C-alpha cells in the first residue's frame, strides 16, 4: 500500500523496542519468507562478494535456494533467520530466485521474479534528498520520460525511528520500475543521478531512498560514532530537530539504515547538514567523518564510495552557521577526497540560489545540477573513469605590498563575476599576529576586491590591512554568496564552481 504524503511524513513512525515481530520462536508458527526488501523487480549488487539473500522461518527449518541453475542450502538459526550468499554475477537479468523449506513433512515454496543485477546506490539524508522529482526544475520532463528507463529500479524506506537496531525497515514504496505515478514522489537527486549512471554505464541501477526531513546527523549515526565524538559536541542540545524526537541519537540509523546492512551496495549519496547548521553544531566536524567510517564498517566496505552535497544557499537568518558547516563537511580542508575523507566526492551547491523556491531557498529546485556534479564525482571515485569533478581550490596564498595572490589547482580558472563580497580578509597586528592565531578567532573580516587573474592565479587588493599583517583569506563565506551560477570562481573548462575556503597567508 502506498502512503501519500505532503512535505515530509509528518513525524514518521516511531517503533518501540518490542514492535518488531519475534521470528522463529518455538511456541509460534512463523511464516517462511524473504526479508521484506527482497521483492520482484529489485536490483541486487553485481560483482564480488555476491549478494546475500536472507529471510525468516521456524528454527531448524531446512532451506534450499535455487538460482541460475545452482542450488544453495541453509537452515533457520536460533534467531529465526536463514541466509545464503549468491554467486558473484555480472550486470544483467532478469532472474528468478526461489526458496523452499521443509519441516514436519510440510514444504513451502516462495520466489521473487524479474531480479536484475547492477549497481545499487543508497540515497540518504534530510529534506533536500527527500525533495521529490515532481518538485524539481525539469521534474515534469523527468516524469514523462520515466518509462524509457526500465532497468532503473527504486525502493523507498518509510520514515521511521527506533531506539534499537531493526532487522527489517518499514517500506513506503516497494521495488518498482519507473512510471509517472511512482517516480514523481521519489528523491529528485537520487533519480537524476541514477539516470545519468544508467545512460553512461548501460547497466541496471538500483536506488534505495532512505531520508527524513529536518534530521540532524546524530540521528543517522551509530552508537559508536556518538561515543567517539562525545568530547566534541560542545554547545549542542542532543534533542534539537523538528519536534525534538528526530534529534534522538541513533534513531534513524536504527530504523532506516541498520536494517539495510545485509545488502551489498555500490555507494552512498548523502545530503544533510541544514539541521546542524541551524544550531551551529560544533560536533559536526567530528561526527561527519566518523559517521562515514562507521557506515563503511557496517556495510563491510572500508572504501565504500560516499558522495555528498555541500550545503546550498538559504535565506540569511541570525545564528545560521551554513558557511561553517560547509567547511566542516570537507573536514576543514576545503576539497575532497582528502586524507580525512578518503574515497569521497562532493557536489558544491553554493551557487544554486533559488530565491523563489516554494519551500524556502534552502530547498533549491536545481536538483539536476546537483545530480550532475555528483555523477562526475562518482565516475572518478566509484568507477575510475577520469572526468573533471572538482572546481578550483587554493594551493597557496602569498602576500606582499598590499596584495595577495592565490594560486589554484583544478584550473584553469575563470572569473565569472567580480562580486565585492566574494573575498574577505583577516588582518592582525602586534603580539596577536603569528602562526598560533586561528581563523575562528578573527574578530573582524574585511571585504577586498579582485585586481587581476591568470589561468591559475588570482590577485587581491589587501591594502585594507594597512600596517597590520594579513593572516587569512576567505572565499564565498556567506549563506547565499551569489545569484544562480554567478559566483566569482569557476573552472574555465569544467564550469564547476570553487567551493568556499579559508586559507592562511604566507607573507
Amino acid at each position: 500500500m502506498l502512503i501519500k504524503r505532503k512535505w515530509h511524513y509528518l513525524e514518521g513512525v516511531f517503533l518501540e523496542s518490542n514492535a518488531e515481530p519475534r521470528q522463529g520462536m518455538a511456541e509460534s508458527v512463523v511464516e517462511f519468507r524473504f526479508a521484506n526488501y527482497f521483492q520482484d523487480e529489485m536490483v541486487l549488487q553485481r560483482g564480488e562478494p555476491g549478494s546475500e539473500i536472507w529471510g525468516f522461518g521456524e528454527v531448524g527449518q531446512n532451506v534450499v535456494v535455487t538460482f541460475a541453475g545452482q542450488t544453495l542450502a541453509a537452515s533457520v538459526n536460533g534467531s529465526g533467520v536463514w541466509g545464503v550468499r549468491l554467486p558473484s554475477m555480472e550486470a544483467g537479468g532478469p532472474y528468478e530466485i526461489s526458496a523452499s523449506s521443509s519441516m514436519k513433512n510440510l514444504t513451502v515454496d516462495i520466489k521473487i521474479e524479474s531480479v536484475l543485477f547492477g549497481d545499487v546506490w543508497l540515497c540518504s539524508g534530510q529534506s533536500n534528498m527527500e525533495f521529490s522529482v515532481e518538485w524539481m526544475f525539469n521534474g515534469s520532463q523527468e516524469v514523462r520520460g520515466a518509462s524509457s528507463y526500465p532497468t532503473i529500479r527504486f525502493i523507498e524506506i518509510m520514515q521511521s525511528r527506533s531506539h534499537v537496531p531493526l532487522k527489517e525497515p518499514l517500506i513506503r514504496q516497494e521495488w518498482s520500475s519507473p512510471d509517472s505515478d511512482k517516480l514523481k514522489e521519489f528523491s529528485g537527486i537520487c533519480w537524476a543521478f541514477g539516470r545519468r549512471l544508467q545512460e553512461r554505464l548501460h547497466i541496471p541501477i538500483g536506488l534505495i531512498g532512505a531520508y527524513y526531513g529536518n534530521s540532524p546527523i546524530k540521528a543517522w549515526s551509530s552508537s559508536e560514532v556518538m561515543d567517539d565524538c562525545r568530547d566534541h559536541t560542545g554547545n549542542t542540545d542532543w534533542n534539537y530537530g523538528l519536534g525534538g524526537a528526530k534529534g534522538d541519537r541513533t534513531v534513524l540509523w536504527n530504523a532506516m539504515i541498520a536494517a539495510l546492512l545485509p545488502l551489498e551496495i555500490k555507494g552512498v549519496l548523502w545530503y544533510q547538514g541544514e539541521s546542524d547548521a541551524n544550531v551551529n553544531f560544533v560536533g559536526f566536524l567530528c561526527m561527519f567523518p566518523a559517521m562515514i567510517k562507521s557506515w563503511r564498517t557496517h556495510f563491510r566496505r572500508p572504501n565504500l564510495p560516499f558522495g555528498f552535497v555541500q550545503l546550498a544557499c538559504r535565506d540569511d537568518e541570525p545564528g545560521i552557521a551554513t558557511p561553517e558547516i560547509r567547511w566542516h563537511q570537507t573536514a576543514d580542508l576545503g576539497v575532497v577526497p582528502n586524507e580525512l575523507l578518503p574515497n569521497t566526492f562532493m557536489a558544491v551547491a553554493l551557487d544554486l540560489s533559488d530565491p523563489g523556491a516554494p519551500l524556502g531557498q534552502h530547498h533549491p529546485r536545481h536538483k539536476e545540477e546537483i545530480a550532475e556534479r555528483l555523477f562526475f564525482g562518482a565516475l572518478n571515485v566509484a568507477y575510475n573513469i577520469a572526468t573533471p569533478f572538482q572546481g578550483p581550490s587554493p594551493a597557496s596564498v602569498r602576500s606582499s605590498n598590499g596584495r595577495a595572490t592565490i594560486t589554484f589547482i583544478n584550473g584553469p580558472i575563470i572569473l565569472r563575476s567580480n562580486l565585492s563580497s566574494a573575498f574577505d580578509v583577516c588582518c592582525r597586528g602586534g603580539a596577536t599576529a603569528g602562526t598560533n592565531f586561528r581563523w575562528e578567532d578573527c574578530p573582524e573580516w574585511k571585504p577586498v576586491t579582485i585586481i587581476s587573474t591568470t589561468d591559475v592565479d588570482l590577485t587581491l587588493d589587501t591594502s585594507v590591512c594597512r600596517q597590520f599583517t594579513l593572516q587569512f583569506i576567505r572565499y564565498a563565506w556567506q549563506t547565499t554568496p551569489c545569484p544562480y551560477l554567478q559566483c566569482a570562481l569557476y573552472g574555465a573548462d569544467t564550469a564547476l564552481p570553487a567551493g568556499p575556503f579559508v586559507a592562511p597567508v604566507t607573507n
Side-chain angles (χ1 to χ4, degrees):
M1 179 180 69
L2 292 179
I3 300 175
K4 295 295 182 180
R5 64 166 183 197
K6 297 181 180 179
W7 179 235
H8 310 315
Y9 300 161
L10 302 177
E11 281 303 306
V13 178
F14 186 82
L15 301 173
E16 300 290 351
S17 59
N18 61 353
E20 198 169 29
R22 300 175 69 198
Q23 300 289 348
M25 299 295 102
E27 68 271 13
S28 62
V29 176
V30 176
E31 178 189 9
F32 173 66
R33 63 180 180 87
F34 293 105
N36 65 355
Y37 46 72
F38 292 110
Q39 302 168 356
D40 295 345
E41 298 196 42
M42 76 177 303
V43 177
L44 290 172
Q45 180 61 41
R46 63 173 173 159
E48 297 291 346
S51 292
E52 183 180 3
I53 301 293
W54 66 280
F56 300 102
E58 289 285 348
V59 173
Q61 268 183 308
N62 294 317
V63 179
V64 176
V65 174
T66 304
F67 168 73
Q70 301 187 46
T71 300
L72 306 166
S75 60
V76 180
N77 64 23
S79 298
V81 175
W82 60 268
V84 299
R85 187 167 293 276
L86 301 181
S88 173
M89 299 294 293
E90 298 294 327
Y95 292 92
E96 177 183 293
I97 303 173
S98 62
S100 63
S101 73
S102 58
M103 190 173 187
K104 299 178 181 178
N105 299 319
L106 176 64
T107 299
V108 180
D109 298 313
I110 56 176
K111 65 181 178 179
I112 54 176
E113 299 177 301
S114 188
V115 176
L116 302 180
F117 283 82
D119 283 347
V120 179
W121 285 82
L122 171 60
C123 303
S124 190
Q126 57 181 106
S127 54
N128 268 304
M129 186 60 80
E130 177 186 352
F131 196 101
S132 66
V133 171
E134 67 178 336
W135 292 331
M136 58 193 272
F137 286 129
N138 205 42
S140 59
Q141 182 176 336
E142 291 282 9
V143 170
R144 286 195 303 271
S147 60
S148 300
Y149 299 91
T151 59
I152 303 179
R153 312 283 176 83
F154 58 92
I155 183 174
E156 189 172 21
I157 306 305
M158 183 177 291
Q159 295 187 346
S160 49
R161 297 166 277 126
S162 173
H163 287 307
V164 295
L166 302 182
K167 291 179 181 177
E168 292 183 299
L170 297 178
I171 294 175
R172 178 179 181 271
Q173 168 63 60
E174 296 183 344
W175 279 104
S176 174
S177 301
D179 63 39
S180 58
D181 288 332
K182 295 175 183 176
L183 179 62
K184 65 183 180 181
E185 292 190 351
F186 189 67
S187 164
I189 288 175
C190 193
W191 166 258
F193 171 83
R195 176 178 59 75
R196 286 169 168 80
L197 276 185
Q198 201 282 327
E199 291 172 343
R200 177 63 182 268
L201 303 176
H202 305 290
I203 63 170
I205 299 294
L207 303 172
I208 303 174
Y211 24 78
Y212 204 137
N214 211 22
S215 54
I217 193 170
K218 298 185 294 294
W220 295 102
S221 300
S222 61
S223 57
E224 62 264 25
V225 173
M226 311 304 300
D227 293 337
D228 291 346
C229 292
R230 193 174 303 279
D231 294 335
H232 299 267
T233 56
N235 65 343
T236 185
D237 170 4
W238 284 110
N239 288 323
Y240 68 82
L242 180 64
K246 288 199 296 295
D248 287 350
R249 313 177 196 188
T250 76
V251 293
L252 302 183
W253 161 265
N254 289 335
M256 301 179 69
I257 302 300
L260 302 174
L261 293 177
L263 288 171
E264 301 294 335
I265 62 174
K266 180 66 176 181
V268 174
L269 295 186
W270 178 256
Y271 196 158
Q272 189 277 334
E274 297 92 342
S275 290
D276 302 292
N278 286 344
V279 297
N280 192 13
F281 178 41
V282 297
F284 194 93
L285 180 59
C286 175
M287 291 196 66
F288 188 46
M291 188 202 75
I292 294 174
K293 182 179 179 180
S294 170
W295 282 36
R296 287 171 167 168
T297 298
H298 285 283
F299 275 108
R300 306 164 302 283
R301 294 276 306 281
N303 295 311
L304 180 71
F306 196 102
F308 63 93
V309 183
Q310 195 174 46
L311 295 189
C313 305
R314 67 185 302 160
D315 299 322
D316 289 318
E317 302 172 41
I320 296 298
T322 301
E324 286 75 15
I325 294 294
R326 287 186 187 129
W327 188 238
H328 293 338
Q329 286 179 295
T330 69
D332 287 6
L333 294 173
V335 65
V336 302
N338 57 52
E339 60 267 30
L340 298 178
L341 293 170
N343 230 45
T344 61
F345 53 98
M346 177 179 73
V348 175
L350 81 175
D351 65 331
L352 301 178
S353 172
D354 186 10
L359 300 170
Q361 186 163 203
H362 58 296
H363 294 119
R365 292 165 286 180
H366 304 293
K367 301 308 193 229
E368 294 281 5
E369 293 89 335
I370 292 173
E372 183 167 69
R373 293 171 185 181
L374 288 171
F375 167 67
F376 292 151
L379 289 181
N380 282 268
V381 172
Y383 296 99
N384 296 314
I385 299 174
T387 304
F389 72 106
Q390 297 168 315
S393 59
S396 63
V397 185
R398 308 178 310 279
S399 175
S400 178
N401 299 321
R403 295 187 174 193
T405 298
I406 309 172
T407 299
F408 289 89
I409 59 174
N410 300 321
I413 64 173
I414 187 172
L415 187 65
R416 190 170 289 184
S417 64
N418 195 346
L419 296 171
S420 60
S421 59
F423 292 90
D424 49 12
V425 297
C426 175
C427 316
R428 298 292 287 171
T432 62
T435 58
N436 294 326
F437 181 68
R438 306 185 313 155
W439 69 267
E440 297 96 324
D441 299 327
C442 184
E444 181 183 11
W445 291 86
K446 299 180 179 180
V448 294
T449 57
I450 300 170
I451 297 176
S452 63
T453 62
T454 68
D455 281 350
V456 296
D457 292 332
L458 181 146
T459 300
L460 300 170
D461 178 358
T462 59
S463 58
V464 66
C465 285
R466 301 182 184 277
Q467 75 273 24
F468 297 111
T469 301
L470 175 60
Q471 294 275 303
F472 297 99
I473 291 178
R474 294 191 314 193
Y475 170 70
W477 212 263
Q478 298 92 28
T479 55
T480 302
C482 64
Y484 174 66
L485 298 182
Q486 289 299 314
C487 279
L489 280 175
Y490 289 80
D493 298 334
T494 65
L496 293 173
F501 62 80
V502 55
V505 178
T506 299
N507 293 284

